[in-house]
Every structure is written in C-alpha cells, then in structure tokens.
Amino acid sequence: MLGIGLGGFMEGYNKAQDMKLDKEKAALAKERYDRQKVLDAREDAEYERSESQRKAIEDTVKTQQANFQAAVDAGTAEPEDSDEWFSKHTVPLLKNTYLSNGDIDNADRVQKWADTTDAKTGAKLFKSALLKAQTGDGVGALDDAIKAGQTQGYIAHGYEVQKHDKIVQPDGTLVGYRVWLTDPDGKEVQQDILAAELPKTIATFLNPEAAWESQLAAAQAEKKRQDELTDYRSKKTIDKEIGVGDDKLRGDAITALRKRMDGGLTGDEPKFDDLPGEEKEKLIADEITLQRGAPAAGTSGAGTAPGIGGNAPASAPARKVIVDTATGKAVPTRPAQGPNKPAAKAASREDNVAYQVQAADVAIREGVPVDRVVQDLLSNGVPEKQWPASVKQAIANKKSGAVVGLGL
C-alpha cells in the first residue's frame, strides 16, 4: 500500500543518509586527531630541544661566572668588571653553544643584544650599583639597581622596583633595606635585604648573564603564548569543520539542511550548498531556532513545538516521496525549495502536478482508498480537472455517491 511503501522507503533512505553523515563525521574526527598528533609531536620535540639548549646555556653561564670569580680572587680582574668579562668571554661562548645546537637565531641575537645601547647602559648601572654596595652606599646602590631594572632592553623579568627604605634598630644601627616591587601581574610585593647581603643580591640578579637569561625567558614565554594561540585557532577551525564546540548548533543545522536539500532523488532539485549565501544564512537561522525548541520566524510559538501545530521554515520543506507499488520504484516529486524566478517556479509546479497525477493513478490501480488519494491530490494543489480518469471513475463508483471535502 502507498503508506507502507512510503514509510519503508523513507526509513531506508534516512538510515542511508545517517550512515553517510556518520562516515563524514568520523573522517573529520580522524583528521582532527591526526592533526593534533602532529601538533603534539612538534610541541614535544620543541620542548626537548629547548630544555637541552637551556641546560647548555645555563652551564656556559655558570662556567663563565666561576671563571670570572676565579680571576677576581687571583687579582687579575675587579668585581665591577663583570660587564667587560661578559662581553669578551661569555658572549663568544654563548654564541658557540647556540651554534652547536643549530640555533643560529639566538647566536646572532646574543651578540646584537650585547651591542645595544640598553644592554650597555644596564651593564654600567650594574657595575655602579655593585661598587656602591661594596663601599657601603646601599641607598645609592639601590637607586642604580632601580634604574637598571627600568631599562627594559637590559632586564626583562617583569618586576619593577617602586621604592626602598632603610631598616634600622632602635639605636640607629642599619640592619638592611626594604624594597617595594610590583610583579609581572601588577601585584605589589615587598622584600627585605640584609645590608651585608646587598652586594651579593645585586651581583646575582643584575649581572649581564642574568640580564641575558631574562631576555631569553621573556622571548620563550612570548613564543609559547603565540604557539598556544596558533594551536587554539587550529583547534577552533577543526571544531568548526566537524560541528562541535561553540559552533555545534550551527553545524547541526547545516547538517540537517544538507540532508533535506541534497538534490532530490533525481539530483535536479535545489541543493543547500548551491543556494546564495544570504538564503543559506536565513535557512540556518531558522533551523537553529527550531533545534532550540523556539518558534521559527513568523510563527506564534504559543504552546507549540516544531512539527506539532508549529510551522517549519517555508523555504526548506521536507521532501514527499511516493512509491509505485507495481514496480517498487520511487516516483519523485519536485516541491519548490527556496525562492525561484517566476518562469522556473511555474515549470516546477507543472512538473509536480504531472508527477502527482501519475502517482494518484498508480495508487488507485493498487487499491489505495480513493479518499486518501483525493486528499493527497488536494494537499498538493492538483486541480480537479487534471485528476486522472481512474480517480474520477473511482469516485463515481463509490456507493455513497459523494466524497467528503470534494463538494461534488
């Protein structure tokens, strides 16, 4: 029977479409997985390379600091000459360490940095601060240290010294210094430094090696931030392709529309992807509204749900399929989908009427009740004068002599 044939056909058709969509989603999900594996592998390789190089640079700096201290102890160098030692001894070794790790960029950067005005200014301030701390001028040492810290091209640790003050005992004996700083997040912190520890503190945190390491750390942090941003954008792009995350609802809407508007059984009906951009966006918006359970544009929404007294978007109707039970083949229909030009719309209607007439004739011959066939013809807008002779004869043969709704 028509109803049974139609139901069976649509069930099989929908299952086939669902399987097709599942395969497409699985393929896209695998693509995302493969891309993520590549990204993770690159990140792991970069981390291992960075750690290996970081340790090599750290060892080089420590070795040169030890060598410099040995020179000071031997009387062949002065404590305040660390900037010159850095320029003459440490920089060349750092360059060689970078080159041995294949890092040509940093090998070039360390030399360029050492030659910048900021680096030279910071190194001079460091020398001055250390000399003052060693000779008992703690206030002057801290003033120079603050200036060095404010030279962004020298130190890039993110901390900024705001002020400092002496810490004294009740009898006036100097104990140390209290320093107020802001951290990289802008939070205020304070640090107490014993007077005897001031030279060591300045030597540890303001020397040129420490300054260069702060520049490296800042560059690595920025690179990590950029890599994470790139990774995030890549993931968002993949998510959008498979319809998850923030775009899941939009992805589901597009999937549903593509399923309904796939060119029809004969392939010559409108396809969703072929529609103009503005029309596609309107259909997507309507579909999202329906999926959210709200009434689509132009509906009252008073206690109705889509498909139960509600209105679906008029521009994307569900396709009607009629099966010729004599041959077992589907008789395709061509409902108009989306706005068409007047001539195209008229042609589409003529074709639809012809198919409906043919389907009605087949249904009558297969014993479908005439009332049901007539209702199908009326609902599809087929005028009575175009009904097939078999339908008209079936009406005449009804013992009641009338068919409800015909007005005969």
Side-chain angles (χ1 to χ4, degrees), residues 54-123:
R54 183 196 63 76
K55 188 176 185 307
I57 294 300
E58 185 179 274
D59 291 344
T60 298
V61 169
K62 286 181 178 180
T63 298
Q64 282 306 300
Q65 287 175 338
N67 291 342
F68 175 67
Q69 187 59 48
V72 171
D73 294 342
T76 59
E78 296 297 327
E80 61 270 18
D81 292 337
S82 63
D83 59 332
E84 295 178 8
W85 185 276
F86 177 78
S87 178
K88 291 180 180 180
H89 300 280
T90 307
V91 169
L93 282 177
L94 285 173
K95 289 176 64 175
N96 289 335
T97 303
Y98 284 127
L99 289 173
S100 67
N101 282 273
D103 191 349
I104 299 175
D105 289 340
N106 273 325
D108 185 50
R109 280 185 62 220
V110 67
Q111 183 65 67
K112 288 183 177 179
W113 175 80
D115 292 338
T116 62
T117 300
D118 278 353
K120 291 179 179 179
T121 298

Side-chain angles (χ1 to χ4, degrees), residues 30 56 58 68 88 132 137 145 150-151 159 206 212 228 245 301 326 350 358 367 401 406:
K30 184 179 184 301
E58 185 179 274
F68 175 67
K88 291 180 180 180
K132 290 177 181 178
D137 183 8
Q150 291 173 340
T151 306
Y159 285 86
L206 280 184
W212 171 243
E228 288 175 348
E350 290 176 3
Q358 178 185 353
L406 293 182

Side-chain angles (χ1 to χ4, degrees), residues 124-140:
K124 288 179 180 179
L125 287 167
F126 159 70
K127 179 190 291 188
S128 176
L130 184 59
L131 182 60
K132 290 177 181 178
Q134 291 170 336
T135 57
D137 183 8
V139 173

